[in-house]
Amino acid sequence: MGSNWPEVTLGEVLEIKYGKDHKKLTEGMIPCYGSGGVMRYVSEFLYERESILIPRKGSLNNIYFIDTPFWTVDTLFWSKINKIIADPKFIYYQLKLIDFNRLNEGSAVPSLTVPILKNIKIKLPLLKVQQEVSKILSGLDKKIELNQKTNQTLEQMAQALFKSWFVDFDPVFDNLLASVDFNLENLENRLPDQLKQKAQRRLAALNSLKNTAECKASLIALAHELQAQLPTKEATQAAETPIKPDFSAKPKILAQHANTHAHFPNEFEHNEQLGWIPKSWNNRDINSIAEITDYVANGSFASLKENVSLSDERGYALYIRTTDFKNEFSLTKAKYVSKHSYDFLKKSKLIGDEVIISNVGDVGTVFRPPIWLGMPMTLGSNAISLKSNKLNNYLYLYFSNDFGQYQIDSITSGSAQQKFNKTGFRKLSVLTPSIEVIDVFNTSYDELNYKLQKNKENTFSITSLRDALLPKLISGELQMPDVASDDEIVD
């Protein structure tokens, strides 16, 4: 059992080294770490084997396990681990349970020293036991990492779809270029200067897609034929020569996009505030298309103080803040309110489809409520929430996009602390597509979002399991099956 595992000091299993200056290094592919994560990529490495990085100053609990070549600056310690007696990942998981902030020797700036680290006591079972524990915990970490990468891809796909439809207006250009009365000769006359280059780029992209789809098989066949008839170098060059897009033929809308494009116009019209936009789309004040609220909408500061109390202990409902979004909605770092407080905060209750935008401090951070946590939620301070009948998905991506962020910047003020108010936000104008286009967009986005939410729910479950198992496995409270404990070894 864990109580029989021998106890050693950290200095007995690893050598603690100082990071070095990185300023004179040239750019490259090697990650250079600081206490906040990867700072840049450089051309040299300090060490190329498994190592644990521990902050020397700053955020002391931001430790990293590295299994590829790296460089680290002098705000981090790095380590050489004695793999004969210690599994690197096992030591890493041991250190994850330590609150390094309590070992702080600094004053204004939290800091650690080599002697403090070397004297930290850890449990060290047989190497085989360490490896089995690491295998379980690493397996869970890999599943979490895979889910996070999948979610990043899904988010990127959603952003790409939004940009294509509502920033670049690709379906509108497609419809325009494929319309019956359009030909390349009247391109100069039909479109204003602001749209000509966009139309030409889209035309090139459409022809490229068409050529790619039609010529892929023939290109492969041609490459094989050339390889049989020409020297290898010439064959390779010929096979890699790109086919120039054919600008003489009118592009056709790909079959898989026909149903979607049917909901988009094939013309543009000029708007005084937004310039050229798709015909029949509107420029509307955000206040006319969404309900906007915040924490202080529930009453005066006196009534809020009297009826709302926050707790670190798990309570009836989550008090959602931008900080929680930054912490990936960790329940151990969350704030909670009672049933009474939740009922009092009726104007800022969250059901999960709202758009939340930080309006004080970290202005412009945009996120959605964590419905995967399965708890009642209410909006915290320093943020506003937007709720619309059908435009929630659109508004989330709109204000996450560059133009939406630009609009937020335009109403933000303050030197010591950046902020904007609800009144200024309500006056912002938003390009609003037709309801038919929004319906089609919601159908496409909801499919991506469903996968994303399920992944977040799965990640939360795995993370909770890992966090519950970590102290039990590392301490030996949970004994590994089929692995002999120290007191079962007979000399």
Side-chain angles (χ1 to χ4, degrees):
M1 296 295 290
S3 59
N4 296 320
W5 287 354
E7 194 172 64
V8 299
T9 62
L10 194 60
E12 293 179 74
V13 297
L14 57 79
E15 182 183 355
I16 299 168
K17 312 281 285 185
Y18 282 91
K20 295 184 178 180
D21 182 29
H22 67 102
K23 295 177 183 177
K24 295 182 180 180
L25 299 179
T26 57
E27 298 299 318
M29 301 294 290
I30 306 298
C32 174
Y33 287 86
S35 56
V38 176
M39 300 175 59
R40 56 180 289 214
Y41 290 86
V42 296
S43 57
E44 300 178 34
F45 57 82
L46 278 176
Y47 195 54
E48 60 180 333
R49 300 181 182 179
E50 293 173 309
S51 181
I52 300 169
L53 311 185
I54 305 172
R56 186 170 70 86
K57 293 182 178 180
S59 302
L60 302 183
N61 285 326
N62 286 351
I63 70 170
Y64 306 94
F65 177 82
I66 308 297
D67 57 2
T68 56
F70 67 88
W71 188 280
T72 182
V73 299
D74 60 3
T75 57
L76 281 175
F77 294 111
W78 59 281
S79 57
K80 286 185 176 181
I81 302 165
N82 183 352
K83 296 183 182 179
I84 297 176
I85 61 172
D87 177 75
K89 262 296 183 70
F90 182 83
I91 304 303
Y92 165 73
Y93 287 121
Q94 284 258 23
L95 298 183
K96 288 286 286 183
L97 292 176
I98 296 174
D99 183 2
F100 286 100
N101 288 318
R102 299 181 65 179
L103 305 177
N104 170 35
E105 269 208 350
S107 51
V109 179
S111 59
L112 293 171
T113 64
V114 171
I116 287 176
L117 293 175
K118 289 177 67 174
N119 288 321
I120 290 176
K121 293 184 179 180
I122 61 173
K123 299 263 189 168
L124 197 71
L126 293 174
L127 184 60
K128 185 176 182 180
V129 175
Q130 297 177 48
Q131 292 168 341
E132 289 297 323
V133 169
S134 296
K135 183 178 179 181
I136 293 174
L137 295 173
S138 293
L140 295 174
D141 277 341
K142 287 178 181 178
K143 290 181 180 179
I144 293 170
E145 183 181 2
L146 178 60
N147 279 350
Q148 290 171 336
K149 288 182 178 179
T150 301
N151 280 355
Q152 288 175 359
T153 300
L154 291 170
E155 288 277 10
Q156 290 168 358
M157 290 171 64
Q159 288 287 354
L161 178 66
F162 180 89
K163 183 176 184 296
S164 173
W165 286 17
F166 305 120
V167 177
D168 297 333
F169 307 130
D170 288 340
V172 183
F173 279 110
D174 293 354
N175 287 344
L176 171 64
L177 295 169
S179 60
V180 174
D181 61 339
F182 182 83
N183 57 65
L184 297 177
E185 284 74 19
N186 66 19
L187 175 63
E188 291 293 322
N189 300 323
R190 181 156 179 177
L191 292 177
D193 292 338
Q194 296 95 317
L195 297 180
K196 286 176 185 176
Q197 290 187 348
K198 289 184 178 181
Q200 290 168 345
R201 286 196 297 268
R202 186 59 184 167
L203 181 61
L206 286 171
N207 278 298
S208 177
L209 288 172
K210 179 174 178 288
N211 287 333
T212 299
E214 292 180 353
C215 297
K216 185 177 180 179
S218 59
L219 279 173
I220 295 173
L222 177 62
H224 287 302
E225 183 179 343
L226 287 171
Q227 286 174 353
Q229 298 177 7
L230 300 174
T232 304
K233 182 177 180 180
E234 294 175 342
T236 302
Q237 291 175 341
E240 291 179 349
T241 301
I243 293 180
K244 296 181 179 179
D246 179 12
F247 289 95
S248 63
K250 182 179 296 186
K252 294 181 180 179
I253 297 174
L254 298 178
Q256 64 265 37
H257 300 317
N259 291 335
T260 297
H261 284 50
H263 300 282
F264 287 80
N266 64 356
E267 294 183 72
F268 291 89
E269 59 186 10
H270 191 266
N271 179 279
E272 290 185 3
Q273 291 179 295
L274 300 178
W276 290 94
I277 63 174
K279 188 174 182 179
S280 76
W281 289 15
N282 298 307
N283 182 33
R284 301 172 62 184
D285 289 345
I286 186 70
N287 195 47
S288 67
I289 59 176
E291 178 185 346
I292 303 167
T293 190
D294 60 6
Y295 174 72
V296 297
N298 294 285
S300 65
F301 288 107
S303 62
L304 288 167
K305 184 177 181 180
E306 181 181 352
N307 290 279
V308 180
S309 58
L310 305 181
S311 173
D312 294 329
E313 300 297 323
R314 185 157 183 166
Y316 179 79
L318 284 163
Y319 180 81
I320 301 297
R321 307 159 298 165
T322 305
T323 300
D324 299 307
F325 170 69
K326 300 288 187 181
N327 289 332
E328 299 181 342
F329 297 104
S330 167
L331 293 183
T332 59
K333 299 178 181 179
K335 295 290 186 181
Y336 300 88
V337 295
S338 65
K339 179 69 163 59
H340 170 78
S341 297
Y342 175 76
D343 291 338
F344 179 81
L345 297 171
K346 55 182 178 296
K347 290 186 178 180
S348 57
K349 289 180 180 179
L350 301 171
I351 63 173
D353 59 348
E354 299 88 355
V355 180
I356 301 175
I357 304 177
S358 174
N359 70 328
V360 178
D362 194 6
V363 172
T365 298
V366 183
F367 61 98
R368 308 293 288 273
I371 56 175
W372 63 91
L373 294 177
M375 290 185 66
M377 298 173 289
T378 186
L379 182 65
S381 58
N382 299 336
I384 62 173
S385 74
L386 286 62
K387 183 173 176 59
S388 176
N389 185 27
K390 290 191 174 184
L391 291 170
N392 292 326
N393 297 331
Y394 178 81
L395 292 174
Y396 166 66
L397 292 167
Y398 181 92
F399 284 108
S400 298
N401 201 270
D402 289 343
F403 188 74
Q405 288 288 301
Y406 171 80
Q407 287 185 293
I408 290 174
D409 287 343
S410 71
I411 60 171
T412 299
S413 62
S415 53
Q417 187 177 54
Q418 296 280 287
K419 62 182 178 180
F420 68 83
N421 57 46
K422 285 184 298 184
T423 302
F425 186 83
R426 286 187 172 121
K427 294 179 181 179
L428 293 180
S429 296
V430 174
L431 174 64
T432 310
S434 67
I435 196 63
E436 292 81 13
V437 169
I438 288 297
D439 285 340
V440 175
F441 174 71
N442 283 337
T443 299
S444 299
Y445 179 81
D446 285 344
E447 183 177 347
L448 294 174
N449 192 48
Y450 175 79
K451 295 177 182 177
L452 192 147
Q453 299 302 329
K454 294 301 290 184
N455 271 348
K456 287 184 176 180
E457 182 180 357
N458 183 249
T459 300
F460 174 72
S461 298
I462 297 173
T463 302
S464 299
L465 175 61
R466 181 204 61 192
D467 292 346
L469 287 177
L470 177 58
K472 296 180 183 295
L473 288 171
I474 289 298
S475 66
E477 182 179 341
L478 282 181
Q479 197 168 14
M480 301 300 303
D482 302 323
V483 179
S485 62
D486 291 9
D487 55 353
E488 294 173 330
I489 302 298
V490 178
D491 294 331

